[in-house]
Amino acid sequence: MSFLRFAARRLVEMAVTLFGASFVVFGAMYLAPGSPASFLLSGRSASPAALQAINEQYHLDDPFLVRYFRWLGQVLQGDFGRSITYRTDVSELLADRLPATLLLVGMALVIVVVIGLALGRLGAVRGGATDSTILVTTTIALGTPSFVAAVLLQGLFAVELGWFPVGGVGDGFGDMLRHLALPALALALYLIGMLARVTRSAMLEALEGEHVTVARSRGVPEREVIRRHVFRNSLGTVLTTGGLIVSTLLVCTILVESAFSIGGIGQLLELSTTTKDFPTVQAISLIIVALFMTVNLIVDLLHPLVDPRVALGPRRSDA
Amino acid sequence: MNALDIQGLRLRLPGTARPVLDGVDLTVAPGETVALVGESGSGKTLTSRTALGLLPSGAAPEGAVLVDGEDVLIMTPDRLRVLRTGQAAMVFQDPRAAVNPLRRIGDFLAESVRLTGTMSAAAADRRAVELLDAVGLGPELLGRYPGQLSGGMLQRVMIAAALMGDPILLLADEPTTALDVTSQAEVVALLGRLRERFGTGLLFVTHDLGLAAAISDRVYVMYAGRIAETGPAAELFARPRHPYTAALLAATPRLAAPAGRLAAIDGQPPDLRQELTGCAFAARCAYATEVCRERTPEPAGEHPAACHHPLEGSHVDV
Amino acid sequence: MSTGLTRRPGLTRRPGLGRLKAARAPLHLICLGFAVLVVLAALLAPWLSPNDPNAVDLGNALAGPSPDHLLGVDTAGRDTLSRLLLGARTSLLGPLGVVVFSTVAGIAVGLAAGWRGGRLDSVLSRSTELVFAFPGMLLAILIVSVYGEGLLAPVVALAIAYLPYVSRLTRSLVLAERTRPYVSAYQVQGHSAPQICLRHVLPNIAPIVLAQSAVNFGYALMDLAGLSFLGLGVPALTPDWGRMVFDGQTAIQHGYPLSAILPCALIVLTVVAFNVVGERWADQVARRSA
């Protein structure tokens, strides 16, 4: 089928799933014991006036579906409601904190891609002791959750050695880079291990292909053989882990932001969960899910471009 | 000067008791088509690959493999690269595995000459179109992916690619085995035409005796890493001197022959992990005697056969 | 095609660690030994720990190793060794719950979807698609924000989040098994569908699924420890490695890193051990069925 039809179908699938996910996010509130009103207030003053205000604000007297669609309508217009804890619009809170998170995730992504690909390629091409070292380091990296990496890196390079600030986000771009360097590394560590492993095994598989021998037999220089026939052929597999990498980054940023007290939406999610500020929790959850699905969609759309076999469908007559 | 001249090639692999190639002598003159025939494991593919310097890792070679007068076994890597781009080229067995499915046909064709600086991109593309035409394909294929071509077409692309560097030696390793019968016939006819047009020497490796008989000028029969017999094609198939050749011919099913059990050669080729004294075929040969098991026979005569009791004057219906 | 692309590397064979194994003392045996050791420590913790893990002694805060406290104390003067031992219980029990639940439920869903096919399959597949949209920890956080403190909520949430991976694997295995001749043979003999499923198909596919679950154990451990680190998992007073790392952050800032480094090291080593063992098991199973 043509690329446009494929893209359209995936877009529709994503919209449907996103719709379902928003239903889950919205409906989770109603799983709580007790009435939604008391849940929303949880622990705060439960005077009749307050309950009345809550009922009105959230239209809790309306049927469930009406409430859902009203909420959905508002969300689609960018209105995420009001934060119970901070008493401001959730969208304001998000706008304040989103840049820091995006910068952090962006930095981590760059680190993961650059180092992960390089290590995987190095291990596959060199073999021997280099490869064994890389295997050992990636094994350890794959056992190091981001919060452990955060605490250890912070302890060593910030507290002990003082090379980096201990926490916070910083002012201005350069300062922010300095503040986010350690957090980005902590975020990236586990994923470097994963990407290196995936790249390595994809390249090892490509190396065994006959087309590699053929290219060599035609006099193509080894470096070009690796670039055009080994690395290139492993890009498809590597790309498919892209979705997983970004989703892990989005989720682990919650941990790392908390460890380094970076005022991003990750830390905001943690705070709002502990203070039971449910509208904020809903908003951030929805954003993370939407981002995750968007990345998956992009990966799916890029895949045929990277691997022509995927796009072309059934072959013509074969001998 | 011969396009290919293999002299006393002996190849040992780690972990084996006898050399996988044991004293191979083989020549291909310019413009000549030579068939190298044998069953799987005889070493025929390995022999053809040595012409390009493609040795398995850990292999210890002895002897000489001269391509256009130069010994491939002692070449520097740079010189080897030039040889592979220019003087010698191979057509591989399975075109689907040999061509990178993620790159276009035009890219595949021009790759070697462009990346070694032998030709400019424009010149390479022109030559690619010229050669595609020579193999009966149109220039629109340059932009297509291998997945869009049939196996037969892809094999023809491989042949065109092999000719890009204007080689004097073309090696074909079972180029038709992965194809259906119609495509086989096309490819064989094509190779014949190209030989005439471009004057390349062709070493055609196959296990198919009929095919070898149809296209080659001379034939080498190989068994267990050694040349059992060699001679002009027509003569070798009409009057084989080595019992192995005769047995192979007898085992080849023919449409016209009376129906009945297929004749097969009893036994298996000798194991690489065991030492070998005497003639390699002795264990399976109907005419074997003591001397066959003790002394390795040397090929002798005008139509040399490595046998202590070469068959004389026997006729085989080809 | 869409959702298959973006998942955790599942049962991919990794040719790497095999080489290491051959080179020196079998790596997987060491890891297996370590994993067993940790499990034993967790089981025997109440008898092994020298002190009460919750006994606060602020005067002695952040002291180094001493005869009384072999591994030192944390910011509240609590004995690190005892906390590590008892923390092993929570840190291992949670992931165990996640894996057991997700495996059992996942196999059930996968069997039903793969065997029956048709409408049941579509419904189940659509639902698992939906769960796939939620990264595990996010679902857990969402549930915790509703139900509050306690280990049960995040364990159930994570189990639900992991379920689709198990069910999808099971489903594709079942679909493949259904076409095998022995299944038709049993059907012809009059065996009922549940009988065939449980007594014949399940034992054949179980090793592959279980190997995958062993690998999931490590993921669950990291996820739950992370939740505890955020204060969203275990209740405040229960010792837990994740929580200890959080407490350790303050310790580091005061210059006494031991009570932070130890739980970090234990988490990493335990996850690595289970990963290595799980991957080797998956390797062996893949090789046998290939």
Side-chain angles (χ1 to χ4, degrees):
Chain A
M1 81 174 76
S2 82
F3 188 69
L4 276 173
R5 273 185 62 196
F6 169 65
R9 202 182 76 170
R10 281 293 290 122
L11 210 59
V12 167
E13 283 176 9
M14 173 178 142
V16 168
T17 317
L18 200 49
F19 192 66
S22 72
F23 198 76
V24 170
V25 169
F26 179 76
M29 183 165 75
Y30 297 90
L31 286 175
S35 77
S38 59
F39 170 70
L40 284 168
L41 285 173
S42 343
R44 285 165 273 254
S45 83
S47 70
L51 279 170
Q52 171 84 332
I54 283 281
N55 267 344
E56 275 184 25
Q57 184 183 5
Y58 288 92
H59 307 273
L60 291 176
D61 294 323
D62 288 341
F64 180 78
L65 279 178
V66 173
R67 280 179 262 150
Y68 169 63
F69 281 106
R70 177 179 288 121
W71 173 78
L72 192 61
Q74 287 171 334
V75 162
L76 287 173
Q77 290 172 34
D79 175 15
F80 289 99
R82 282 181 77 75
S83 156
I84 298 180
T85 317
Y86 293 95
R87 296 176 199 279
T88 51
D89 279 342
V90 173
S91 26
E92 256 183 58
L93 290 175
L94 293 179
D96 271 342
R97 289 166 170 72
L98 204 53
T101 303
L102 288 179
L103 185 57
L104 176 59
V105 169
M107 282 171 72
L109 187 61
V110 169
I111 297 177
V112 169
V113 169
V114 168
I115 301 186
L117 285 180
L119 282 183
R121 182 186 162 133
L122 201 62
V125 172
R126 289 277 188 87
T130 319
D131 193 23
S132 304
T133 318
I134 290 179
L135 276 177
V136 170
T137 28
T138 51
T139 307
I140 296 177
L142 284 169
T144 311
S146 50
F147 69 94
V148 167
V151 169
L152 290 177
L153 283 172
Q154 187 188 49
L156 180 58
F157 292 105
V159 176
E160 187 66 25
L161 292 172
W163 292 350
F164 291 93
V166 171
V169 137
D171 266 321
F173 193 65
D175 197 29
M176 279 175 94
L177 282 183
R178 213 177 137 248
H179 274 87
L180 294 179
L182 282 184
L185 194 53
L187 254 187
L189 192 63
Y190 174 87
L191 292 168
I192 290 176
M194 176 167 79
L195 186 58
R197 281 288 191 91
V198 169
T199 309
R200 178 184 170 278
S201 55
M203 282 185 72
L204 281 179
E205 205 178 305
L207 270 172
E208 291 181 19
E210 175 97 315
H211 64 277
V212 171
T213 312
V214 171
R216 284 186 186 137
S217 80
R218 297 176 71 205
V220 178
E222 186 66 10
R223 233 182 61 210
E224 295 293 330
V225 173
I226 299 290
R227 186 173 69 86
R228 309 173 102 244
H229 296 288
V230 181
F231 190 66
R232 173 68 179 78
N233 285 45
S234 46
L235 279 185
T237 318
V238 167
L239 183 67
T240 62
T241 60
L244 184 57
I245 290 178
V246 174
S247 90
T248 311
L249 281 175
L250 289 174
V251 161
C252 291
T253 195
I254 303 171
L255 295 164
V256 171
E257 285 182 23
S258 300
F260 282 92
S261 301
I262 297 169
I265 61 173
Q267 190 177 30
L268 183 61
L269 180 60
E270 187 237 329
L271 290 172
S272 21
T273 311
T274 14
T275 58
K276 302 230 186 278
D277 183 2
F278 206 68
T280 315
V281 172
Q282 277 178 322
I284 301 180
S285 304
L286 203 55
I287 289 182
I288 292 184
V289 170
L291 277 174
F292 176 40
M293 285 200 237
T294 311
V295 171
N296 281 353
L297 181 70
I298 295 178
V299 165
D300 281 353
L301 293 181
L302 282 180
H303 200 237
L305 297 176
V306 166
D307 189 339
R309 290 173 292 186
V310 169
L312 298 175
R315 241 200 313 263
R316 283 177 41 194
S317 66
D318 205 358
Chain B
M1 176 145 16
N2 279 327
L4 176 63
D5 196 347
I6 301 183
Q7 298 167 352
L9 177 63
R10 199 162 266 113
L11 199 66
R12 289 206 123 82
L13 289 180
T16 56
R18 65 173 173 86
V20 62
L21 293 179
D22 200 358
V24 173
D25 293 297
L26 188 152
T27 59
V28 177
E32 194 185 21
T33 299
V34 172
L36 181 54
V37 171
E39 51 189 297
S40 336
S42 55
K44 55 190 196 303
T45 300
L46 204 46
T47 307
S48 67
R49 290 195 174 202
T50 57
L52 283 172
L54 289 174
L55 301 174
S57 56
E62 283 169 44
V65 175
L66 302 170
V67 175
D68 203 15
E70 268 187 78
D71 187 0
V72 169
L73 297 176
I74 57 175
M75 270 187 192
T76 63
D78 284 335
R79 186 79 197 94
L80 193 57
R81 204 168 297 127
V82 172
L83 173 104
R84 288 172 175 176
T85 319
Q87 289 125 296
M90 187 176 239
V91 177
F92 288 79
Q93 182 173 336
D94 185 3
R96 288 251 170 256
V99 185
N100 189 344
L102 303 187
R103 306 198 85 104
R104 296 180 207 262
I105 300 292
D107 183 289
F108 172 68
L109 285 168
E111 187 176 35
S112 58
V113 290
R114 256 194 336 109
L115 292 174
T116 50
T118 315
M119 279 188 204
S120 71
D125 278 344
R126 275 198 303 274
R127 180 138 175 97
V129 171
E130 184 192 319
L131 287 172
L132 279 178
D133 182 64
V135 300
L137 297 171
E140 69 276 1
L141 257 55
L142 287 182
R144 302 245 181 97
Y145 286 97
Q148 295 170 289
L149 271 61
S150 71
M153 289 167 82
L154 213 48
Q155 191 61 296
R156 286 192 266 167
V157 167
M158 266 248 272
I159 295 173
L163 292 169
M164 283 291 289
D166 202 10
I168 59 157
L169 174 66
L170 199 59
L171 305 146
D173 185 6
E174 311 234 33
T176 55
T177 310
L179 305 175
D180 69 88
V181 178
T182 321
S183 308
Q184 276 185 18
E186 284 175 4
V187 166
V188 167
L190 178 63
L191 283 174
R193 283 200 303 275
L194 291 173
R195 173 193 36 157
E196 297 203 7
R197 174 165 162 185
F198 291 99
T200 43
L202 174 62
L203 179 65
F204 193 96
V205 176
T206 182
H207 61 269
D208 186 337
L209 294 174
L211 199 51
I215 64 166
S216 56
D217 303 314
R218 284 189 302 119
V219 177
Y220 287 84
V221 178
M222 202 162 170
Y223 183 76
R226 299 175 184 168
I227 302 288
E229 182 174 0
T230 174
E235 206 184 292
L236 187 135
F237 288 119
R239 275 177 295 279
R241 295 186 67 223
H242 197 287
Y244 176 60
T245 317
L248 269 185
L249 286 166
T252 306
R254 268 175 286 281
L255 279 177
R261 281 195 90 154
L262 284 179
I265 312 179
D266 283 331
Q268 298 280 342
D271 196 305
L272 269 177
R273 290 163 296 187
Q274 285 177 323
E275 297 247 356
L276 193 59
T277 40
C279 175
F281 189 58
R284 305 164 77 183
C285 184
Y287 308 97
T289 60
E290 267 314 299
V291 64
C292 297
R293 278 177 268 275
E294 283 163 18
R295 261 192 309 129
T296 312
E298 291 303 319
E302 220 184 77
H303 164 175
C307 182
H308 291 299
H309 313 289
L311 309 167
E312 303 290 353
S314 57
H315 276 265
V316 180
D317 290 312
V318 174
Chain C
M1 185 191 121
S2 54
T3 50
L5 299 179
T6 51
R7 303 304 154 207
R8 290 186 211 271
L11 221 49
T12 47
R13 291 194 44 207
R14 300 187 209 209
L17 285 183
R19 254 223 319 261
L20 284 180
K21 272 181 267 154
R24 48 216 97 197
L27 182 65
H28 71 279
L29 281 182
I30 299 179
C31 288
L32 187 61
F34 183 80
V36 168
L37 212 64
V38 169
V39 169
L40 278 178
L43 289 173
L44 300 174
W47 296 277
L48 286 177
S49 45
N51 299 25
D52 176 5
N54 284 323
V56 171
D57 183 5
L58 289 170
N60 196 24
L62 292 178
S66 67
D68 260 347
H69 302 282
L70 287 172
L71 293 176
V73 294
D74 68 359
T75 42
R78 297 173 290 199
D79 178 32
T80 305
L81 177 58
S82 311
R83 286 182 73 77
L84 284 176
L85 284 171
L86 277 151
R89 296 195 134 194
T90 5
S91 305
L92 294 182
L93 199 63
L96 185 66
V98 171
V99 167
V100 166
F101 182 81
S102 63
T103 307
V104 169
I107 288 183
V109 169
L111 264 179
W115 186 264
R116 283 300 221 71
R119 206 121 64 96
L120 183 62
D121 188 11
S122 321
V123 167
L124 287 175
S125 296
R126 289 281 154 263
S127 320
T128 49
E129 283 288 317
L130 187 56
V131 179
F132 265 132
F134 287 86
M137 218 193 282
L138 186 65
L139 201 59
I141 290 181
L142 202 58
I143 300 294
V144 167
S145 71
V146 172
Y147 282 108
E149 232 179 30
L151 205 49
L152 185 63
V155 166
V156 171
L158 278 179
I160 294 178
Y162 286 17
L163 194 153
Y165 295 93
V166 180
S167 75
R168 190 183 52 157
L169 179 61
T170 309
R171 178 179 173 275
S172 57
L173 288 173
V174 167
L175 284 177
E177 284 294 296
R178 271 187 80 195
T179 58
R180 297 275 193 101
Y182 76 88
V183 170
S184 328
Y186 280 118
Q187 280 176 321
V188 160
Q189 286 176 34
H191 289 85
S192 71
Q195 257 187 330
I196 304 179
C197 265
L198 290 175
R199 294 191 61 206
H200 303 289
V201 174
L202 188 56
N204 279 347
I205 65 177
I208 307 179
V209 181
L210 289 179
Q212 173 72 70
S213 290
V215 174
N216 282 345
F217 186 85
Y219 297 143
L221 206 161
M222 290 195 285
D223 281 346
L224 281 173
L227 281 174
S228 301
F229 174 81
L230 293 174
L232 299 176
V234 288
L237 285 181
T238 322
D240 174 272
W241 291 347
R243 198 74 198 145
M244 288 171 74
V245 174
F246 176 75
D247 292 332
Q249 256 193 313
T250 339
I252 290 182
Q253 278 161 359
H254 290 175
Y256 298 89
L258 191 61
S259 62
I261 295 181
L262 289 174
C264 286
L266 272 179
I267 291 177
V268 173
L269 289 173
T270 310
V271 173
V272 167
F274 276 93
N275 275 356
V276 170
V277 170
E279 277 178 33
R280 176 174 161 86
W281 188 10
D283 238 10
Q284 284 185 318
V285 169
R287 230 175 288 151
R288 250 187 286 141
S289 54

